[in-house]
Amino acid sequence: MTTTKALVVFSGGQDSTTCLIDALNTYDEVHAITFDYGQRHSNEIEVALEIGKELNVKSHKVLDVTAINELAISSLTRDNIPVSNELNDNDLPNTFVPGRNIVFLTYACIHAYQLGIKDIITGVCETDFSGYPDCRDNFIRALNLACNLGMDNNVNIKTPLMWLNKAETWGLADKHNMLEYVQNKTLTCYNGILGKGCGECPACLLRQNGLDEYFASK
């Protein structure tokens, strides 16, 4: 009998943790990859490792890609740039890290190639679009094609949250009886506060609004 395997691009935040939980309920074997890109809050990596351990992933690779920090100027890569709810002059949030998902997913494809894994799962979402161009479906499809052409491979980058809003994402965690786990154990906050977060940054507001909407719909 063939063992089904998946690799989850995993940050320890709400979306990627929900994807990890869903994958663990779908595949026989789930691996995780977490990226150290010199992010504002290195405790993201510690949270991701702890969750991976608690949920018993098959393997968990932490990859140093801090070179991107030298090029990608963002409030998530520079301590002296405060996280803002305002858009930059280019109409993108100041939390956008240029090229981040290009790098992450390309390395994920390479790691999956070495592990013999065909399904790569990432928690990007276009429905609750936060203004990040590298979270769009057309970008994922284009990069998936490029990686397959470049490695003569046939990996499939899956995006289970792509067309879900935040309330529906909470619902997916609840479906697996893990809503409270995601609520308390994940780190989504741009100010590095675990669980409910700071309650003020764009990530916390989106997360809490989605949770309120989900509870209201039950």
Side-chain angles (χ1 to χ4, degrees):
M1 186 175 178
T2 303
T3 300
T4 59
K5 299 191 289 185
L7 174 66
V8 177
V9 178
F10 187 55
S11 69
Q14 176 195 359
D15 292 343
S16 66
T17 302
T18 302
C19 286
L20 181 64
I21 291 166
D22 190 54
L24 287 164
N25 283 274
T26 305
Y27 294 87
D28 299 321
E29 188 176 299
V30 177
H31 301 254
I33 185 168
T34 297
F35 295 97
D36 178 359
Y37 62 98
Q39 53 263 59
R40 189 184 189 100
H41 303 291
S42 59
N43 55 330
E44 284 184 9
I45 299 168
E46 296 167 13
V47 169
L49 286 169
E50 183 65 24
I51 292 173
K53 183 178 179 181
E54 288 180 354
L55 299 184
N56 296 311
V57 297
K58 181 72 173 180
S59 73
H60 196 161
K61 176 79 170 177
V62 177
L63 191 63
D64 184 342
V65 292
T66 49
I68 193 175
N69 196 291
E70 297 181 28
L71 302 174
I73 299 173
S74 160
S75 64
L76 296 190
T77 60
R78 299 291 186 276
D79 290 337
N80 63 341
I81 302 176
V83 173
S84 171
N85 290 300
E86 304 297 323
L87 296 179
N88 289 330
D89 292 340
N90 60 3
D91 291 328
L92 294 175
N94 82 337
T95 52
F96 174 61
V97 181
R100 180 173 59 174
N101 281 343
I102 297 173
V103 172
F104 287 5
L105 290 170
T106 300
Y107 276 120
C109 285
I110 297 168
H111 189 46
Y113 183 95
Q114 299 300 325
L115 294 176
I117 293 173
K118 297 301 183 184
D119 287 352
I120 298 171
I121 298 170
T122 179
V124 299
C125 172
E126 189 168 323
T127 303
D128 272 331
F129 187 48
S130 56
Y132 295 172
D134 59 359
C135 288
R136 295 178 297 188
D137 184 61
N138 58 359
F139 160 73
I140 298 295
R141 290 176 181 273
L143 187 68
N144 198 159
L145 176 61
C147 286
N148 280 339
L149 289 172
M151 290 188 281
D152 193 19
N153 202 12
N154 61 338
V155 298
N156 184 20
I157 301 177
K158 294 191 168 186
T159 55
L161 309 184
M162 181 60 75
W163 308 115
L164 302 185
N165 60 33
K166 268 293 181 285
E168 291 168 328
T169 300
W170 283 112
L172 181 57
D174 200 16
K175 172 187 171 184
H176 296 302
N177 298 311
M178 293 291 279
L179 188 146
E180 288 189 8
Y181 184 92
V182 174
Q183 193 175 3
N184 297 319
K185 293 279 192 172
T186 61
L187 200 168
T188 303
C189 176
Y190 289 149
N191 289 310
I193 301 173
L194 190 69
K196 292 182 179 179
C198 70
E200 296 178 356
C201 74
C204 284
L205 292 173
L206 184 62
R207 173 180 163 128
Q208 187 61 48
N209 289 339
L211 185 59
D212 291 343
E213 183 183 340
Y214 177 66
F215 282 144
S217 69
K218 290 187 70 176

